[in-house]
Amino acid sequence: MPELAIERPFALSSEDVAAALGCLPSEGLSSQEVLRRRKLHGPNSLRMRKAKSPLTILLHQFKSIIVWLLAAAATLAFLLGDLPESAAIVVVLILNGGIGFFTELRAARSMESLLRIAEVRTVVRRDGKIRRINARDVVPGDIVVLDAGDIVTADLRLVEASRMLADESVLTGESTPVEKSTETKAAEAEIGDRSNMVFRGTAITQGAGAGIAVATGMATEVGRISEMAQSAEGEMSPLEKRLDRLGYRLVWLTLGLAALTILAGVVRGHTVGAMIQTGIALAVAAVPEGLPVVATLCLARGMWRMAARNAIITRLSSVETLGATTLILTDKTGTLTENDMAVARYLLAGGSVPIEPGAMSVAEDDCLIAAVRIGALCNSADPGDGAEKERRGDPMEIALLSVADATGQPWRSLQECYPRVADHAFDPALKMMATVHEDGEQYLYAVKGAPESVIEVCETALHADGPHALDPVQRKEWLRRQSEAANDGLRLIALAMKQTGTPNDAPYSGLTLVALVCLLDPLREDVPAAVRASLDAGVHIVMLTGDHSATAAAIARDAGLGRGALRVIEGRELRGLSHETEDDSLRERILSADVFARVAPETKLILVRLFQDSGHVVAMTGDGVNDAPALKKADIGIAMGQRGTQVAQEAAEMVLRDDAFATIIAAMRQGRVIFDSIRKFVVYLMSCNVSEVLVVGIAVSGGLPPPLLPLQILFLNLVTDVFPAFALGLGRGDDGIMKRPPRAPKEPIVGQPEWLSIGLLGGIITVATLAAFGLALFWLQLPAGKAVTVAFVTLALAQLWNVFNVRSTQGGVFVNDVTSNVYVWAALALCVGLIGGALWVPSLAELLDLPHPGGSGLTLAVAASFGPLIAGQILMLLRVYPRRKVGERAQRTADKA
Ligand code: ADP
Ligand code: MG
């Protein structure tokens, strides 16, 4: 079978397209046919998702300046005739490259599999059934079913379209959504005019329909725009960039220091050759080789931990932003609440009718029958086969279907009596939706929506003896009943109807109010604890909801939002608001509000900007198509994995697989842990490196023999730096991490407090090592070679113990985030073993030039190595380091919370 390709499908009728691609729109392809086509056409993916090959990663290792430095050192050692050293540097080089290679490979692989989790799913018709499949499995000829909020996953020729609008800005740059239909177009139509086609990567903003996949993968319009496919590749996160820059600065700094040491050594009478070797070894040792790679690994691991907690992050940079978040704008339904709705009661003109689950009988009250019927008819949930579990859609609508089943008006028979002829999808601005049904000779309009909106457009209300006119007093009374129920945290929907002779009437006028439905949507159990945790962490929470203010306030109170009096702002107060508003008192009120009720989607964007302008790092949740701009604007857009539309998920940086608020807090904690871990290993690594440079530099310029030989420096660097530093990077953080206010967003990884820590810790290790070296030489009267061994052991062990000096101040001296990190203990055990090997394995000891210093020398070294640990802990208890002041703005947030 040749590849299926079809020229200008928009200029053919949909039947011709179906025939050319060998498919039946009503049935879709058969599974066997799909397999055949999948083999022929390959996956429906753009090539940018191609995995990084191991070779690319290997080559990447040679881009590092460190590799060239090592190679130069090896060559130099070789030229100077020092073969063992030259070989040793080559070994270091290989090990270094190997570690870099494997770390990067792992990080890349775990990123790739994360991206697979986050892959878009799509609905197709196959074997006559509706299936949800991975977008990459779509083949030409597949019938793809579309709904508002979906991202289109292939180029489709539409065969069904009802009121469909598509946002094609990714392709055409035109941001107004275009209307779609199934009509055949002229052969010369430009891409923007091919209104019977929808294209991969564009979004359906309204309506529904289905289309035949005419192109998949690279054959699609987006696929052809190759630049687009390239641009999404492997961008570095800001954190990695900063680490990279830091790495470079360090390279120059150490090269400078090494040069100084060489100079000092030569002035003091050491030979130039020996000094150059020492200088090179120092430069090699002092450069933190794994810095960016370990950071990437650390971030990728953190992303995995978040994924395990149901938070999927697809952009590395978001991990760090999460840790700096100061404000969460959260919606209510489904995020704070279960979104598992049940009808509690109907408020009818004649009174309130409670609905007891399990104890329902066929309704007899005419008004109630009408209410239940309208609720089931004006419904966009997918009723499935009638079984409750089969149903998909808005839980509120499913609850309305369930009540209809239980009270003798099952959906199936309603559909037969009142076939649907038209519908007006839920409009978030009006907060209403309508459906139109045949009703004998007449047409029945079924309307439901937010009570204020519906009551406003009703002229009459249904009573037991028929409709009565609604006068202002009665309207007020209905609104009062609504508020009363809303105060209990119930969610309210008004139901209304009318009968006319035409299906094309304006739906929202001349209606008869039938009932208010009260639905119970309980708070998620874990929300109060999560809210408390977030307040403890200095992160403010504000609820943004389309629901009634009383309902919103009741839920907010249960969730524990606000302090004391809850500050609620109604959406209508914000109408016409701009983020540059001059009204300072309104701005002040907005910034200190806890709940925004009845907010329109456009207002969300303005609120995000207002909060950002006041210095907040804003995380915002959202699910609808209308939320996408605000999600994009927010520092962290959070979309709902279950409830959310694909458009919202595309716009977001993080997707919650379980839709739960508590997951945001868990992810936030991870974000902080990662930043903290990276900072810890940077401080650790650099304080160790500083000590190496200082020990040699000071001794040599002080006229002493070099306390460390080049090969020893290389060995030390490899052993002590790599393993403990990696282990620190894998830390799980301390308990106090969510008890502190968020870090300031611009705070550097290595700021003044970190430089201070690095200097102090590096300094005390230097002092201990030089002291041990001096004592060995002049007190124990050891020969220079053995004194070098004493210095080597002191420095090596002191560096190992130094991991405990970078613990967080929240923990105690013995129980803290470092001592509870098992990787650290494993790394220490391994390193002690390796140092032991260097002393007691004769060949290794000989290679490294480490004669055994005797019992007293060894005791001196071990004792001295504990000096820096003890001094470090004392300095920490005296609060000499780490001196980190909380950012001013972060402090303000903490005060407010
Ligand atoms: P929330 O923030 O609670 O998710 P929404 O913006 O989804 O609020 O809804 C706002 C209001 O619109 C709801 O309180 C409800 O009265 C009404 N509403 C929501 N969904 C529907 C629907 N499918 N049909 C009719 N009315 C709805
Ligand atoms: Mg909603």
Side-chain angles (χ1 to χ4, degrees):
M1 198 171 96
E3 272 200 41
L4 291 165
I6 181 164
E7 285 287 309
R8 303 183 185 282
F10 49 91
L12 301 175
S13 73
S14 56
E15 291 81 11
D16 288 347
V17 173
L21 289 174
C23 62
L24 256 183
S26 57
E27 286 289 309
L29 298 171
S30 69
S31 318
Q32 291 143 324
E33 185 59 26
V34 168
L35 282 181
R36 276 234 310 269
R37 293 188 184 196
R38 174 72 206 259
K39 274 211 197 89
L40 198 64
H41 292 268
N44 174 30
S45 59
L46 303 181
R47 272 172 214 140
M48 68 175 167
R49 283 284 164 87
K50 215 173 88 183
K52 260 194 207 163
S53 76
L55 189 66
T56 331
I57 295 175
L58 189 66
L59 287 178
H60 187 230
Q61 305 310 315
F62 291 99
K63 282 190 189 152
S64 144
I65 181 166
I66 295 150
V67 169
W68 296 110
L69 225 109
L70 285 170
T75 318
L76 206 64
F78 183 76
L79 292 178
L80 294 172
D82 192 345
L83 277 182
E85 177 163 329
S86 172
I89 296 177
V90 172
V91 170
V92 170
L93 196 127
I94 290 170
L95 280 177
N96 208 319
I99 290 168
F101 172 72
F102 284 111
T103 324
E104 207 175 316
L105 190 70
R106 254 197 75 178
R109 289 292 172 266
S110 72
M111 277 295 295
E112 281 153 19
S113 40
L114 262 180
L115 287 175
R116 266 199 293 283
I117 296 184
E119 228 163 52
V120 179
R121 318 245 318 148
T122 198
V123 177
V124 292
R125 211 175 275 155
R126 282 182 185 171
D127 296 318
K129 293 212 178 77
I130 293 294
R131 298 246 166 87
R132 270 184 92 76
I133 61 167
N134 250 338
R136 56 187 285 121
D137 295 328
V138 174
V139 295
D142 253 329
I143 308 299
V144 179
V145 182
L146 297 166
D147 211 345
D150 285 353
I151 301 279
V152 181
T153 49
D155 287 0
L156 309 176
R157 166 68 164 90
L158 292 172
V159 290
E160 293 159 31
S162 115
R163 289 163 207 282
M164 191 188 273
L165 290 180
D167 174 353
E168 295 185 339
S169 50
V170 278
L171 273 185
T172 60
E174 175 56 62
S175 61
T176 4
V178 285
E179 273 181 51
K180 293 291 173 183
S181 71
T182 57
E183 270 166 50
T184 308
K185 290 279 155 191
E188 59 276 3
E190 286 300 321
I191 195 161
D193 298 324
R194 297 175 192 169
S195 59
N196 56 18
M197 302 260 312
V198 288
F199 302 98
R200 184 189 169 111
T202 64
I204 306 299
T205 56
Q206 200 180 298
I212 305 173
V214 293
T216 60
M218 290 303 281
T220 57
E221 292 294 333
V222 223
R224 285 188 215 170
I225 308 171
S226 52
E227 291 87 355
M228 278 183 94
Q230 300 309 318
S231 70
E233 205 173 4
E235 61 189 278
M236 260 193 190
S237 84
L239 188 71
E240 289 173 291
K241 276 189 210 142
R242 268 190 280 173
L243 281 173
D244 218 37
R245 246 178 288 141
L246 186 69
Y248 265 92
R249 240 185 287 154
L250 287 172
V251 168
W252 292 116
L253 190 75
T254 49
L255 283 178
L257 282 178
L260 275 182
T261 308
I262 294 173
L263 207 68
V266 174
V267 170
R268 285 287 180 170
H270 294 284
T271 68
V272 178
M275 276 296 93
I276 287 180
Q277 267 174 292
T278 306
I280 287 172
L282 273 185
V284 170
V287 170
E289 30 277 292
L291 210 62
V293 179
V294 179
T296 311
L297 186 73
C298 207
L299 287 169
R301 237 189 109 84
M303 286 166 79
W304 266 107
R305 282 189 193 153
M306 288 187 200
R309 289 285 329 250
N310 285 320
I312 311 290
I313 290 197
T314 47
R315 269 156 249 185
L316 270 185
S317 56
S318 310
V319 177
E320 41 164 335
T321 318
L322 253 179
T325 301
T326 61
L327 175 78
I328 307 174
L329 297 176
T330 174
D331 55 4
K332 172 179 72 69
T333 313
T335 309
L336 294 177
T337 66
E338 295 275 3
N339 206 17
D340 187 10
M341 304 227 190
V343 175
R345 54 184 182 263
Y346 285 86
L347 303 179
L348 304 169
S352 161
V353 183
I355 299 292
E356 308 280 344
M360 278 188 272
S361 56
V362 173
E364 281 169 4
D365 181 330
D366 283 342
C367 291
L368 182 59
I369 292 172
V372 171
R373 180 185 307 150
I374 299 297
L377 286 176
C378 180
N379 205 305
S380 37
D382 172 4
D385 292 338
E388 207 152 314
K389 276 190 224 79
E390 287 276 305
R391 294 183 167 155
R392 303 254 173 281
D394 186 339
M396 186 252 300
E397 302 199 310
I398 293 174
L400 292 173
L401 289 181
S402 302
V403 174
D405 282 349
T407 53
Q409 301 188 73
W411 183 83
R412 230 165 237 290
S413 60
L414 280 177
Q415 233 28 58
E416 274 163 28
C417 298
Y418 307 97
R420 184 182 294 189
V421 291
D423 59 17
H424 301 263
F426 178 68
D427 180 338
L430 294 175
K431 294 189 166 40
M432 287 189 281
M433 68 174 277
T435 54
V436 187
H437 306 262
E438 277 176 28
D439 183 6
E441 300 294 289
Q442 297 271 81
Y443 290 93
L444 170 68
Y445 284 69
V447 173
K448 79 176 190 315
E452 310 93 284
S453 317
V454 175
I455 291 170
E456 198 175 300
V457 295
C458 283
E459 281 169 8
T460 54
L462 189 68
H463 286 244
D465 54 354
H468 288 201
L470 262 182
D471 61 32
V473 179
Q474 278 165 321
R475 274 181 218 271
K476 265 225 178 90
E477 174 59 15
W478 278 104
L479 290 173
R480 192 197 57 74
R481 293 176 78 183
Q482 146 166 273
S483 308
E484 195 182 65
N487 276 328
D488 295 336
L490 291 167
R491 188 170 162 89
L492 277 107
I493 296 287
L495 302 170
M497 58 182 261
K498 71 174 170 185
Q499 270 171 318
T500 59
T502 150
N504 301 319
D505 211 9
Y508 307 122
S509 67
L511 292 164
T512 299
L513 181 63
V514 179
L516 300 185
V517 194
C518 306
L519 295 119
L520 195 64
D521 182 14
L523 194 70
R524 281 174 186 262
E525 215 169 274
D526 52 1
V527 162
V531 168
R532 237 175 295 123
S534 131
L535 293 179
D536 281 347
V539 180
H540 200 54
I541 304 171
V542 173
M543 180 198 281
L544 287 188
T545 176
D547 214 339
H548 188 270
S549 57
T551 312
I555 298 286
R557 221 168 278 126
D558 287 349
L561 258 54
R563 281 277 148 122
L566 205 62
R567 284 157 290 196
V568 183
I569 294 188
E570 285 270 359
R572 78 182 115 77
E573 288 184 60
L574 306 178
R575 217 166 280 160
L577 180 74
S578 123
H579 72 279
E580 288 165 324
T581 177
E582 302 274 305
D583 185 345
D584 285 336
S585 77
L586 178 64
R587 181 191 287 268
E588 204 44 51
R589 280 186 53 225
I590 289 174
L591 293 180
S592 61
D594 302 299
V595 176
F596 293 89
R598 291 288 189 230
V599 280
E602 349 32 291
T603 314
K604 292 189 186 174
L605 178 62
I606 294 163
L607 289 176
V608 169
R609 297 186 68 163
L610 263 172
F611 280 110
Q612 281 177 333
D613 289 350
S614 81
H616 274 293
V617 177
V618 178
M620 192 194 116
T621 69
D623 49 15
V625 181
N626 293 314
D627 292 336
L631 287 176
K632 275 207 185 112
K633 179 71 192 150
D635 300 279
I636 295 282
I638 304 170
M640 301 300 141
Q642 295 174 9
R643 193 159 39 85
T645 55
Q646 288 173 356
V647 173
Q649 292 178 9
E650 275 269 313
E653 275 85 22
M654 176 158 107
V655 176
L656 302 182
R657 268 200 288 190
D658 57 359
D659 290 12
F661 182 78
T663 304
I664 304 175
I665 309 299
M668 201 172 267
R669 180 177 195 282
Q670 274 307 327
R672 291 186 177 195
V673 168
I674 289 169
F675 194 87
D676 242 41
S677 300
I678 291 179
R679 182 176 268 167
K680 275 194 188 116
F681 81 66
V682 170
V683 169
Y684 171 74
L685 212 65
M686 288 170 57
S687 54
C688 288
N689 290 350
V690 162
S691 69
E692 284 162 21
V693 177
L694 286 181
V695 163
V696 178
I698 292 176
V700 167
S701 43
L704 291 174
L708 290 169
L709 304 178
L711 215 51
Q712 294 166 357
I713 297 175
L714 294 176
F715 179 80
L716 249 186
N717 183 56
L718 203 69
V719 171
T720 56
D721 283 11
V722 174
F723 301 106
F726 266 48
L728 282 175
L730 297 177
R732 285 180 180 268
D734 61 287
D735 298 335
I737 202 154
M738 290 300 273
K739 299 268 187 284
R740 310 197 271 269
R743 85 187 138 81
K746 294 241 164 59
E747 195 176 289
I749 305 172
V750 182
Q752 241 171 21
E754 283 70 37
W755 286 116
L756 178 72
S757 307
I758 291 167
L760 274 176
L761 295 175
I764 51 184
I765 297 174
T766 308
V767 169
T769 310
L770 287 177
F773 186 52
L775 286 175
L777 278 177
F778 306 117
W779 180 52
L780 294 179
Q781 303 278 335
L782 294 180
K786 291 189 175 184
V788 165
T789 309
V790 171
F792 172 82
V793 174
T794 310
L795 182 59
L797 295 181
Q799 289 193 350
L800 292 187
W801 314 150
N802 193 33
V803 283
F804 299 112
N805 282 336
V806 298
R807 72 175 168 89
S808 104
T809 39
Q810 242 84 12
V813 173
F814 297 105
V815 182
N816 56 53
D817 56 321
V818 177
T819 54
S820 61
N821 181 342
V822 288
Y823 296 107
V824 166
W825 291 106
L828 292 190
L830 181 67
C831 291
V832 170
L834 286 168
I835 294 166
L839 281 182
W840 283 295
V841 176
S843 54
L844 199 56
E846 203 175 313
L847 178 74
L848 291 171
D849 237 332
L850 287 173
H852 197 284
S856 51
L858 213 53
T859 313
L860 170 64
V862 173
S865 76
F866 282 102
L869 173 61
I870 295 164
Q873 294 295 317
I874 291 172
L875 288 177
M876 198 176 221
L877 291 177
L878 294 178
R879 297 177 187 280
V880 178
Y881 85 94
R883 269 261 172 86
R884 183 156 275 293
K885 276 197 233 93
V886 173
E888 193 215 334
R889 189 220 14 81
Q891 189 61 59
R892 232 190 313 136
T893 324
D895 291 346
K896 205 163 88 177

